[in-house]
Amino acid sequence: MKHLYTICLAVFLMASFTAFAQSPGNGNISGTLTLVDGQSYGSASVTLIELKKSTLTDEQGKYAFSNLAPGKYTVRIQVLGAAQKDLSVTVVTGQTTTANYQLTRENVQALQEVTIAGNVNKFAKKESIYVARLPLKNLENPQVYSSVPKELIQEQMATDLGSIAKNVPGAGIPMIANQGRVTFRSRGFDTEPNARNGVAGAAFASIDPANIERVEAIKGPSATLFGSNISSSYGGLYNRVTKKPYNGFGGEVGYVGGSWNFNRLTLDINTPVNTDRTVLFRLNGATSFEKSFQDQGFTNSLSLAPSFSYQVSDRLSLLFDVEFGQAKGTSVVRFNPYIDPKVVSTKTIRELQFPYNKTFMGNDLAYQTQMLNIFAQANYKISESWTSQTIISRARSSINGYITALRGTTETKISPQVITGYTAFVATNIQQNFIGDFKIAKLRNRLVVGLDYYNNSNDFDRVTVNLPTVDFINTPASYRISRFKVDSLTSKGALRRESSGDNTYSVYASDVINLTDRLMAMLSLRVNRYDYNGVYNITTGTVSGGLGTSGLQAGPYKQTNLSQKMGLVYELSKDRLSVFGNYMNGFFNKSGVTADGSAIKPEHANQLEFGFKGDLLDHRLVGTVSYYDIKVANVLRDDPNNPQNYQIQDGTQLSKGVEVELTANPFAGLNIVAGYAYNDSKLTKSNPATNGLRPGQSGPPHTYNLWISYRFPEGDLKGLGVGFGGNAGSWSYHTNTVTTKIIIPSYTMLDASVFYDKPKYRVGFKVDNLTSEKAWSVRLTPQAPARFTGSVALKF
């Protein structure tokens, strides 16, 4: 860590000298690059051909070449996803010649992250280079997705992913795993933020949002383009888009303080490294500490995220970034109530009287996590029609220490369960994409063809300890599970010392064809080869399972399957309103055999969806309305004739619903973000205990989100603003069987803020959960009451 700080400081000092060095010259060239609608375009490559000198446009779309001898020059503008443009320029002694250019295509955000300024509706930045792996506008994409930009994250003073996801329709109250991992709901299914910049970026630890440019919630089964590994679920996936270096010097330092001894420091520094401004560096970092609102508990974290970009030539650009994080903390409360299948019972978590403010565990039962994600990308413009994209991503997470849960043994008693030891997860993703934009028989085609290799490796060396029962209603005042108590029982615990791994080899293609100027069709296909190595028991030296005696064991196996995606989009009003429909597929590999010796097949889900997308009133009203119907097949369930040893694969599940999302800027200064999601999920063929019922822990059927803010756009109060909003959800199930129903009550959690944002500083004050509403996640984790935070940031 010490060496990392030294390197960053050296780069910063070097850049500070080189970026501002000036020398006299004979003449200059400067210009501005804009999109077709006049918005500035940053991070575009500009080259002076005769001198083989390159630079990048800054956030305002501006570029400059200084100290040029008089004469004629050629300025070449290269943007991935658009035709090359050469401008003839004459330099005169003592003068600056202007060479501006306006791009003729709107969807030029191809394969590199660019900066676009001047959007009227600053919370409605929907364009993405990741959702379709093609340069498609939102209105051209038949898939539904939400995007939470950094401007909204900053205004809401969000300091964790759960707070950011409040703005995604249907996300619900986040489920926090024992090591800080966060999981959301999407269309009735668990969905984790395990995609990073469009590829696998799994993190079995807390993820600090200090390095996040925006969060994209991509809806529906998405295996065709994103695979079936831990990045996606049948409900979709969350893609974390990280901050990239830009052409300019700037940044900020900030502090947030609040309830329960919350303290947070953040840092964001960006600078060019060389005089041509083709090598850029950015460093984001944060450190936080907070006590729990409950009687015990804390978290302490550190995050560092350096990134480099290098415009090697007008055709080749490189990006390299690192995401490092480490944390120490105690597990959140995870309560698993007692279930007696012989007794018919319906109760709410309130009626169970489980204490809201008690953890039962001591602060010495802490875990430590470490995360290291490495991402490298090379974009090469082969021709005006074709671009090559090469990506290498490697993600590593480790967990060491104590992970806790509270297991019910009767209606009023629990047996605390503690897992102690070490766990590590390593994922490697290598992708090679070729992206084309060309015409066949006068029909425009936008095509991506890709190769994808994914390797996953897991290691476990830990013990599970079950402690004596205790009455959770009438708990002795002195009761506390300590580290000493757990360590004294580890010799009697269940040992898990094993490793496992798998490899996935895939090829995919997706083509968007303009049948007319307004009618577009998407056709996509993925071939997936999955190779599972089984579970290696380190103690015995054996690999468990296989396709032999027990259908419940997971041993080495291989599966090949197809995944398809089709969509239609028709723009009812060009660039304003479109109607769309899609048919998409997702799958998960499953192992084992049935009782008759038949091999288990992959489980899969198909989605049919249609709706409308709008971008109206000069971007002041942007929204999506959609209806979806997901059918999951090949679900495993217990074999009625031999439930202890085998499963059969005829289970089904349905999930259908409606989602509405709107962002509006009715007039200058006023911004509205609103969403509604309805989900109807049902196990249509499952074990008798759950058949025909809504799955437990699938989230509320109805959820709502709203954020309204006003910021004075001019005058003496310019920059002063207020915000108000909240989230609500209907009641849902933790457990839902024919005999036992444990209900999570409905909730309405309101937030309010006031802020003052100026060019050189920003201050703010916010209250989360203004009314201290009692609410629980699907794992019955109590949510914090009213939380007060204040922030200050200095910009430079």
Side-chain angles (χ1 to χ4, degrees):
M1 187 65 61
K2 180 180 179 181
H3 294 305
L4 179 60
Y5 282 122
T6 304
I7 293 172
C8 293
L9 179 61
V11 173
F12 173 74
L13 294 174
M14 177 181 65
S16 299
F17 286 112
T18 59
F20 301 103
Q22 301 288 339
S23 59
N26 297 316
N28 308 307
I29 298 174
S30 67
T32 302
L33 182 63
T34 56
L35 295 172
V36 66
D37 60 359
Q39 294 185 74
S40 302
Y41 189 98
S43 303
S45 171
V46 183
T47 303
L48 206 56
I49 299 300
E50 287 76 11
L51 300 181
K52 296 182 180 180
K53 196 173 185 180
S54 297
T55 189
L56 295 171
T57 56
D58 61 17
E59 289 186 292
Q60 286 72 46
K62 297 180 180 180
Y63 72 92
F65 295 103
S66 304
N67 307 323
L68 304 176
K72 294 185 177 181
Y73 294 89
T74 302
V75 174
R76 175 169 293 171
I77 297 174
Q78 285 271 31
V79 174
L80 296 173
Q84 170 183 301
K85 181 64 177 180
D86 289 345
L87 305 175
S88 297
V89 180
T90 300
V91 174
V92 179
T93 301
Q95 298 183 15
T96 298
T97 304
T98 301
N100 298 328
Y101 181 63
Q102 188 172 31
L103 294 164
T104 57
R105 273 188 189 167
E106 293 190 2
N107 55 327
V108 296
Q109 300 176 66
L111 302 176
Q112 62 190 102
E113 189 71 14
V114 297
T115 303
I116 297 180
N119 195 336
V120 174
N121 190 350
K122 63 181 181 178
F123 296 157
K125 296 181 179 180
K126 296 284 288 187
E127 312 310 323
S128 173
I129 59 177
Y130 305 106
V131 177
R133 300 197 189 279
L134 285 169
L136 293 182
K137 293 180 296 182
N138 177 43
L139 266 62
E140 296 177 316
N141 196 331
Q143 187 167 8
V144 173
Y145 62 95
S146 301
S147 183
V148 185
K150 64 179 180 182
E151 291 84 359
L152 183 55
I153 296 172
Q154 182 182 90
E155 183 172 288
Q156 293 182 344
M157 295 171 55
T159 58
D160 58 84
L161 284 180
S163 299
I164 294 173
K166 287 181 178 181
N167 302 285
V168 177
I173 295 176
M175 182 189 78
I176 307 298
N178 293 323
Q179 60 272 18
R181 217 168 81 234
V182 61
T183 302
F184 312 106
R185 310 272 80 68
S186 182
R187 301 188 171 181
F189 301 94
D190 289 354
T191 308
E192 298 187 10
N194 280 335
R196 180 172 179 267
N197 295 328
V199 298
F204 292 89
S206 60
I207 301 172
D208 196 289
N211 189 40
I212 290 180
E213 181 76 18
R214 66 180 181 274
V215 173
E216 297 174 342
I218 305 171
K219 300 301 185 73
S222 303
T224 307
L225 290 180
F226 294 94
S228 63
N229 54 49
I230 54 178
S231 295
S232 65
S233 75
Y234 297 144
L237 70 147
Y238 277 74
N239 180 41
R240 306 172 344 250
V241 180
T242 60
K243 295 178 180 178
K244 309 296 191 302
Y246 57 88
N247 182 7
F249 177 80
E252 69 175 50
V253 293
Y255 168 76
V256 182
S259 304
W260 310 300
N261 199 23
F262 180 64
N263 289 277
R264 175 176 172 84
L265 293 172
T266 59
L267 171 71
D268 184 355
I269 297 177
N270 186 92
T271 182
V273 176
N274 61 349
T275 55
D276 292 334
R277 301 194 171 206
T278 55
V279 181
L280 309 175
F281 171 74
R282 189 170 186 174
L283 175 64
N284 282 274
T287 182
S288 299
F289 176 83
E290 182 179 21
K291 291 183 178 180
S292 171
F293 73 92
Q294 297 173 305
D295 60 348
Q296 293 279 278
F298 72 94
T299 57
N300 189 359
S301 65
L302 171 68
S303 173
L304 289 174
S307 59
F308 288 88
S309 69
Y310 180 25
Q311 190 72 34
V312 182
S313 67
D314 56 351
R315 292 181 178 271
L316 177 62
S317 65
L318 304 176
L319 174 67
F320 178 77
D321 67 30
V322 176
E323 189 178 43
F324 172 82
Q326 64 181 25
K328 182 177 181 179
T330 54
S331 300
V332 299
V333 169
R334 177 186 176 184
F335 176 43
N336 298 313
Y338 172 73
I339 297 174
D340 187 346
K342 298 179 182 179
V343 178
V344 177
S345 174
T346 298
K347 288 187 177 181
T348 69
I349 178 61
R350 293 181 187 272
E351 293 172 327
L352 291 176
Q353 300 183 58
F354 188 83
Y356 199 82
N357 296 314
K358 196 174 186 63
T359 67
F360 298 91
M361 304 289 179
N363 280 343
D364 56 346
L365 286 176
Y367 63 81
Q368 292 180 322
T369 64
Q370 189 177 92
M371 175 186 68
L372 179 65
N373 290 337
I374 299 173
F375 180 88
Q377 176 175 304
N379 295 326
Y380 183 74
K381 190 161 185 177
I382 302 171
S383 66
E384 290 190 7
S385 299
W386 287 94
T387 301
S388 168
Q389 179 193 64
T390 305
I391 299 175
I392 300 175
S393 175
R394 188 168 178 84
R396 180 187 181 279
S397 298
S398 64
I399 308 161
N400 192 20
Y402 301 85
I403 301 173
T404 64
L406 302 173
R407 181 174 55 88
T409 56
T410 70
E411 289 190 353
T412 61
K413 292 184 177 181
I414 55 173
S415 171
Q417 187 178 76
V418 180
I419 298 174
T420 177
Y422 177 82
T423 308
F425 306 90
V426 180
T428 303
N429 198 182
I430 301 175
Q431 281 187 9
Q432 174 59 54
N433 296 311
F434 294 98
I435 294 93
D437 190 341
F438 54 90
K439 289 186 176 182
I440 298 178
K442 297 183 179 180
L443 299 180
R444 184 185 181 191
N445 288 258
R446 280 166 285 181
L447 172 69
V448 56
V449 178
L451 300 172
D452 191 348
Y453 168 73
Y454 178 81
N455 171 265
N456 181 61
S457 177
N458 307 317
D459 290 288
F460 299 89
D461 188 358
R462 60 196 200 186
V463 177
T464 299
V465 177
N466 292 307
L467 291 109
T469 60
V470 63
D471 190 314
F472 61 75
I473 297 176
N474 300 303
T475 310
S478 61
Y479 180 86
R480 183 77 56 210
I481 298 298
S482 67
R483 179 175 177 176
F484 174 79
K485 180 66 174 178
V486 173
D487 290 347
S488 67
L489 296 174
T490 54
S491 61
K492 300 179 182 179
L495 177 64
R496 184 182 183 185
R497 184 170 293 163
E498 61 190 33
S499 62
S500 63
D502 54 74
N503 295 283
T504 304
Y505 310 87
S506 306
V507 57
Y508 53 86
S510 181
D511 190 14
V512 176
I513 306 171
N514 280 75
L515 302 175
T516 69
D517 185 46
R518 295 189 179 188
L519 179 62
M520 285 151 282
M522 173 183 282
L523 302 172
S524 310
L525 182 68
R526 183 187 194 95
V527 180
N528 202 79
R529 177 64 170 175
Y530 181 74
D531 184 358
Y532 181 62
N533 300 326
V535 178
Y536 175 71
N537 189 309
I538 298 174
T539 303
T540 64
T542 60
V543 177
S544 66
L547 300 181
T549 58
S550 175
L552 301 181
Q553 293 183 8
Y557 68 98
K558 299 180 180 181
Q559 287 178 342
T560 301
N561 51 282
L562 302 177
S563 176
Q564 73 284 340
K565 177 181 178 181
M566 295 174 283
L568 283 174
V569 175
Y570 181 72
E571 295 191 59
L572 301 171
S573 177
K574 184 66 175 174
D575 300 325
R576 291 181 177 85
L577 181 65
S578 67
V579 58
F580 68 90
N582 66 60
Y583 180 77
M584 303 194 305
N585 173 266
F587 61 89
F588 284 103
N589 297 99
K590 301 291 182 177
S591 70
V593 294
T594 59
D596 63 3
S598 300
I600 297 297
K601 301 176 182 178
E603 180 185 280
H604 65 84
N606 293 318
Q607 172 185 275
L608 179 64
E609 182 178 25
F610 56 86
F612 295 90
K613 292 184 178 183
D615 191 339
L616 308 171
L617 305 176
D618 192 26
H619 305 299
R620 291 189 180 274
L621 179 61
V622 178
T624 302
V625 180
S626 67
Y627 170 83
Y628 63 87
D629 190 330
I630 301 173
K631 297 181 179 180
V632 185
N634 288 352
V635 178
L636 290 169
R637 66 188 184 100
D638 293 341
D639 188 333
N641 299 318
N642 193 349
Q644 300 300 320
N645 296 313
Y646 286 99
Q647 293 178 305
I648 56 177
Q649 196 173 24
D650 63 352
T652 56
Q653 180 179 345
L654 300 181
S655 177
K656 57 185 177 180
V658 175
E659 290 181 342
V660 180
E661 181 181 45
L662 294 173
T663 59
N665 177 220
F667 52 84
L670 179 64
N671 287 279
I672 302 171
V673 177
Y676 166 73
Y678 166 70
N679 174 257
D680 179 16
S681 290
K682 184 182 295 185
L683 296 168
T684 49
K685 195 171 185 180
S686 68
N687 293 327
T690 57
N691 191 47
L693 302 178
R694 181 178 180 86
Q697 303 189 26
S698 57
H702 301 271
T703 57
Y704 311 82
N705 64 278
L706 175 68
W707 180 256
I708 302 174
S709 66
Y710 179 75
R711 180 187 310 224
F712 287 93
E714 54 188 6
D716 295 338
L717 297 178
K718 182 179 181 180
L720 178 63
V722 293
F724 178 80
N727 295 77
S730 58
W731 59 267
S732 60
Y733 293 107
H734 170 273
T735 303
N736 187 20
T737 70
V738 294
T739 58
T740 303
K741 300 182 188 299
I742 298 175
I743 297 173
I744 303 173
S746 60
Y747 63 90
T748 299
M749 303 174 74
L750 302 176
D751 307 326
S753 70
V754 59
F755 51 88
Y756 192 40
D757 195 352
K758 303 296 286 184
K760 296 296 183 182
Y761 63 90
R762 181 180 64 255
V763 295
F765 177 78
K766 187 182 181 186
V767 183
D768 292 293
N769 196 5
L770 192 63
T771 61
S772 291
E773 176 88 338
K774 285 189 175 182
W776 292 262
S777 73
V778 295
R779 275 192 173 182
L780 300 182
T781 302
Q783 303 301 294
R787 177 192 185 198
F788 300 85
T789 53
S791 69
V792 59
L794 304 178
K795 309 176 189 179
F796 51 89

